[in-house]
């Protein structure tokens, strides 16, 4: 399936030519709208047979805005039929349309000089043809063939139709990226059907029954029926004019300019980075901060221009822009767009979307920003995925590949290549650049080093605190700590992270209080001084240090032991339980030679530690 668009000055005979070529009057079809699910309102088609693809023709009705129609398909049209009336020759709109075709990079075209039945003078015809060649010079259509026809007496029409079919047949099929997008150019409803939208399908297939999402609103529905050229379809292919009957969405939820796509496959944006070309015959240069009309797909929105690399863009020159859109629009990398001045209305130029989601406003005159856009514009999938990765790492590999705005297979291949080259890594399902991963570890070690400097009496930082400072997911954090340990740059003691070279060192005065405490502990044994008293003796910092160093064990709010005593108590209890099978609190109290308060505190702590288990009044060893 191919799509042809007509172009040319009003009243030059476009609609009449389409009818002569196809037998279908696009205007007549409009009236059929109410009678049946006629999907091709304003559109005609050719079914050449003999194995040739069907051809959809988008005509530009006299008073409709040409640009809206020209762009009504993100990928534009396959071929332009440029219609010039022999009696009038090249007119202002002819020139404007040619400029737009050039901006949209429509590579294939046919020039039709029509109404030749009105001309008797062969010299005049020759003159008009020369004028046409001149207008085409330096555009992508400079080599387009020229046909002289009359839609009224049929002269040259058969030859033109054959040439059109042959020329389209030479074109490569539309690229199927596996990402169908339908920029909606019309919305209506019909009794018994419900909501119907039409557009030129690009990027991939649509199938009856599948779920769809409408961007930018994000509403979801299901495809109830598909039609092209008044024929029902099970599946629509890219490059065709399609009408989609959607269930689950009312016409209030659908607008011209919206994009229908598979759920989650495209995102909308209010900011985009673009490559722009200012038309050669525009009077004024494009100014920074200028307000313009931005046309993309079937959408039209007011945008403010930020010129990134230059002061202004002169006629015929190119540059990098960031466009701030007044309303959200669904965009894809590579989409073509046009800018117009709102009043007096004038086409200024156009180009291609390079980054549909730049994320933030760029500063002007920054070489690194322009360089990045240059590489994105020329970039391979490999470069694009890597660029996305650097902007958003760490990111789930699956998410990275989906945001790549490209076919999943291509994205996956590019990702494989990046990991094989060793410049990217997949860790616990997350994608990271090699340098990003190394930087994370460097950051962790720097944070630890700073922590040690600020807290010389702490053994190190708790895992959870470190994880929340690095703001990375759990799985990734675990892998990072393992990596640090493996390299010998990091120690993990229970849940504390420390640098290997760090140890707690006490001042002589602090050491003295510790020694005093040890004497006190030795003297009191099981009936140890309270947590409160020990903290008073040591001071809170030294107390915390001894906990980190596991020289003391705090059993509960009140009870603390020196670690050697605690270990003794535990082995006594374990031995007793092994011998007797079980013990109640009274027996343990007697075993340890203490009061009930201490015995119960120890047992509850052992329960929590999973060393003992409580059954009624008794404790047993946890197997
Ligand atoms: P459009 O605005 O470009 O679509 O132009 P139309 O197809 O509506 O044609 C404009 C006028 O030109 C109509 O009155 C047509 O009948 C007339 N016309 C179109 N093609 C021819 C032709 O080949 N010969 C003559 N004599 N008149 C034509």
């Amino acid at each position: 399936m191919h799509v042809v668009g007509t172009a040319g000055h009003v009243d030059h005979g476009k609609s009449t030519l389409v009818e002569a070529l196809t037998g279908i009057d696009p205007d007549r079809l409009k009236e059929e709208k109410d009678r049946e699910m006629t999907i091709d309102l304003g559109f005609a088609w050719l079914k050449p047979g003999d194995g040739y693809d069907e051809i959809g023709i988008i005509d530009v009705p006299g008073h409709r805005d040409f640009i809206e129609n020209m762009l009504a398909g993100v990928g534009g049209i396959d071929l332009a039929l440029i219609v010039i009336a022999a009696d009038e020759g090249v007119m202002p709109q002819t020139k404007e349309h040619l400029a737009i075709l050039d901006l949209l990079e429509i590579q294939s075209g046919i020039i039709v000089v029509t109404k030749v039945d009105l001309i008797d003078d062969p010299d005049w015809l020759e003159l008009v043809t020369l004028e046409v060649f001149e207008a085409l010079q330096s555009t992508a259509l400079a080599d387009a063939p020229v046909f002289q026809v009359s839609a009224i007496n049929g002269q040259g029409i058969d030859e033109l139709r054959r040439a059109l079919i042959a020329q389209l047949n030479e074109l490569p099929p539309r690229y199927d990226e596996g990402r169908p997008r339908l920029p909606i150019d019309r919305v209506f409803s019909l009794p018994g059907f419900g909501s119907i939208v039409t557009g030129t399908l690009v990027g991939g297939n649509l199938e009856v029954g599948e779920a769809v999402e409408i961007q930018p609103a994000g509403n979801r529905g299901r495809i109830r029926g598909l039609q092209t050229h008044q024929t029902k379809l099970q599946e629509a292919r890219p490059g065709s004019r399609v009408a989609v009957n959607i269930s689950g969405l009312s016409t209030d939820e659908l607008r011209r300019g919206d994009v229908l796509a598979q759920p989650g496959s495209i995102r909308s944006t209010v900011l985009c980075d673009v490559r722009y070309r200012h038309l050669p015959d525009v009077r004024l240069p494009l100014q920074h901060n200028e307000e313009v009309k931005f046309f993309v797909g079937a959408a039209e929105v007011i945008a403010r221009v930020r010129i990134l690399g230059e002061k202004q863009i002169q006629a015929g020159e190119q540059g990098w822009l960031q466009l701030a859109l007044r309303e959200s629009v669904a965009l894809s990398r590579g989409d073509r767009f046009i800018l117009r001045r709102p009043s007096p209305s004038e086409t200024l130029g156009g180009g291609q979307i390079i980054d549909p989601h730049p994320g933030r406003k760029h500063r002007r005159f920054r070489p690194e920003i322009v360089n990045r856009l240059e590489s994105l514009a020329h970039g391979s999938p490999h470069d694009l995925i890597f660029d996305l990765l650097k902007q958003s790492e760490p990111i789930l590999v699956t998410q990275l590949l989906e945001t790549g705005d490209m076919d999943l297979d291509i994205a996956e291949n590019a990702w494989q290549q990046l990991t094989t080259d060793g410049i990217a890594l997949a860790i616990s399902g997350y994608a990271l650049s090699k340098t990003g991963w190394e930087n994370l570890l460097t950051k962790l070690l720097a944070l630890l080093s700073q922590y040690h400097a600020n807290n010389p009496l702490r053994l190190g930082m708790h895992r959870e605190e470190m994880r929340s400072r690095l703001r990375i997911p759990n799985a990734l954090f675990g892998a990072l700590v393992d990596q640090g340990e493996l390299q010998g740059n990091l120690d993990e003691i229970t849940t504390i992270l420390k640098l290997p070279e760090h140890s707690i060192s006490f001042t002589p005065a602090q050491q003295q209080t510790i020694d005093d405490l040890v004497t006190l502990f030795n003297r009191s044994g099981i009936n140890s001084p309270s947590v409160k008293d020990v903290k008073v003796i040591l001071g809170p910092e030294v107390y915390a240090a001894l906990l980190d160093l596991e020289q003391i064990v705090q059993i509960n709010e009140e009870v603390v032991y020196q670690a050697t005593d605690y270990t003794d108590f535990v082995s006594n209890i374990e031995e007793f339980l092994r011998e007797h099978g079980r013990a109640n609190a009274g027996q343990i109290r007697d075993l340890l030679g203490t009061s009930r308060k201490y015995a119960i505190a120890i047992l509850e702590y052992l329960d929590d530690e999973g060393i003992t288990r409580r059954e009624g009044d008794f404790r047993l060893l946890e197997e």
Side-chain angles (χ1 to χ4, degrees), residues 9-16 60 62 114-115 117-118 150-152:
H9 201 77
V10 66
D11 276 346
H12 272 208
K14 297 182 289 294
S15 301
T16 316
V60 185
T114 186
K115 304 195 191 182
D117 56 287
L118 296 179
S150 164
I152 297 292

Side-chain angles (χ1 to χ4, degrees), residues 367-383:
E368 68 274 15
I369 286 169
V370 170
N371 289 344
R372 176 175 167 266
L373 288 175
E374 297 263 5
S375 78
L376 274 182
H378 303 118
S380 60
H382 182 271
D383 298 334

Side-chain angles (χ1 to χ4, degrees), residues 147-165:
F147 286 81
Q148 294 174 349
V149 306
S150 164
I152 297 292
N153 69 19
Q155 181 191 334
I157 293 292
D158 287 342
E159 291 87 334
L160 173 61
R161 192 186 300 107
R162 275 198 295 276
L164 177 68
I165 294 165

Side-chain angles (χ1 to χ4, degrees), residues 233-269:
L233 296 172
Q234 193 57 31
E235 188 175 52
R237 286 185 293 133
S240 48
R241 289 281 323 159
V242 184
V244 186
N245 181 198
I246 310 173
S247 62
L249 287 175
S250 70
T251 48
D252 300 344
E253 295 169 291
L254 300 159
R255 285 184 322 172
R256 181 184 175 104
D258 286 350
V259 177
L260 176 152
Q262 286 170 340
S265 69
I266 55 166
R267 288 181 292 153
S268 51
T269 183

Side-chain angles (χ1 to χ4, degrees), residues 179-251:
R179 271 179 84 237
R181 280 159 286 150
L182 187 89
I184 297 172
D185 51 32
R186 262 172 317 154
V187 177
F188 54 95
S189 71
L190 288 176
F193 285 98
S195 303
I196 295 164
V197 298
T198 67
T200 306
L201 179 63
V202 294
N205 295 346
L206 284 180
E207 233 180 297
V208 172
E210 79 177 304
V212 289
E213 184 177 83
I214 309 297
Q215 282 289 349
N219 297 321
R220 295 196 177 178
R222 199 163 285 283
I223 300 182
R224 193 173 150 194
L226 288 169
Q227 275 199 15
T228 192
H229 306 162
Q230 289 184 333
T231 313
K232 272 193 182 168
L233 296 172
Q234 193 57 31
E235 188 175 52
R237 286 185 293 133
S240 48
R241 289 281 323 159
V242 184
V244 186
N245 181 198
I246 310 173
S247 62
L249 287 175
S250 70
T251 48

